[in-house]
């Protein structure tokens, strides 16, 4: 089993409490947009060798998006696009070295919340190769629109 497969299996086994409130704010319908197990190279870490050699990061984005009442969206402009999220994530990583997974997670959450339709975002950043005995190590955060 590869490290990526172990990380995916570990992610699937983690019990997550329900984060969706019983009544959405103002009874607005919501939809969930997600990017699951995005595996990219990044310059991340505090050690000298992590500043020069890219390493794998596994990114998961979960977004709760305000849904428009009535008909389902029929136009690309009416939805939060997961392809755009992936491109923006790649561009963020291309900006250069980041010391901490926590910093990267915060930047990704801010990127997600930049779209006014996104009500909240859960971001998980893992380093699957950081510790040989672990499928992955990292951080998960959730941020809400204030």
């Amino acid at each position: 089993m590869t490290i990526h497969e172990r990380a995916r299996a570990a992610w699937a086994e983690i019990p997550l409490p329900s984060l969706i409130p019983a009544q959405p704010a103002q009874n607005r319908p919501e939809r969930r947009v997600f990017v699951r197990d995005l595996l990219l190279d990044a310059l991340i870490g505090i050690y000298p060798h992590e500043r020069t050699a890219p390493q794998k990061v596994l990114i998961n984005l979960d977004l709760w998006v305000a849904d428009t009442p009535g008909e389902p969206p029929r136009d690309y402009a009416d939805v939060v696009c997961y392809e755009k999220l992936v491109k923006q994530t790649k561009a963020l990583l291309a900006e250069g070295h980041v010391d901490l997974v926590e910093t990267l997670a915060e930047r990704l959450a801010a990127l997600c919340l930049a779209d006014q339709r996104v009500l909240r975002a859960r971001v998980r950043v893992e380093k699957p190769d950081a510790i040989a005995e672990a499928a992955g190590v990292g951080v998960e955060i959730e941020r809400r629109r204030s």
Side-chain angles (χ1 to χ4, degrees):
M1 181 181 280
T2 68
I3 289 176
H4 183 64
E5 290 167 336
R6 288 188 315 177
R8 182 177 295 225
W11 170 255
E13 293 175 13
I14 296 172
L16 294 174
S18 175
L19 296 176
I20 300 174
Q23 293 291 329
Q26 305 166 356
N27 290 325
R28 287 196 323 201
E30 297 175 1
R31 104 173 5 103
R32 189 168 153 226
V33 176
F34 62 91
V35 175
R36 183 72 58 233
D37 295 338
L38 179 62
L39 188 63
L40 298 172
D41 289 324
L43 288 171
I44 187 166
I46 60 169
Y47 297 109
H49 67 276
E50 293 175 311
R51 294 181 178 281
T52 57
Q55 59 186 300
K56 297 291 182 199
V57 290
L58 189 63
I59 296 172
N60 286 276
L61 306 173
D62 289 290
L63 306 148
W64 283 263
V65 178
D67 210 354
T68 53
E71 294 281 323
R74 296 181 190 263
D75 188 69
Y76 180 73
D78 294 338
V79 297
V80 173
C81 176
Y82 45 80
E83 181 181 21
K84 182 178 176 184
L85 288 169
V86 169
K87 287 180 180 179
Q88 291 174 324
T89 299
K90 289 177 178 179
L92 182 65
L93 292 176
E95 289 177 6
H97 182 267
V98 177
D99 280 342
L100 304 171
V101 291
E102 291 84 353
T103 303
L104 179 56
E106 291 291 347
R107 289 178 184 171
L108 287 167
L111 180 149
C112 293
L113 290 169
D115 187 318
Q116 295 300 310
R117 297 170 293 187
V118 176
L119 303 172
R120 67 182 167 174
R122 182 189 310 150
V123 175
R124 181 182 183 97
V125 178
E126 292 181 64
K127 292 168 65 173
D129 300 329
I131 297 180
E133 298 84 4
V137 295
V139 66
E140 180 176 283
I141 63 170
E142 184 176 331
R143 298 295 178 257
R144 299 173 190 267
R145 181 164 306 291
S146 37

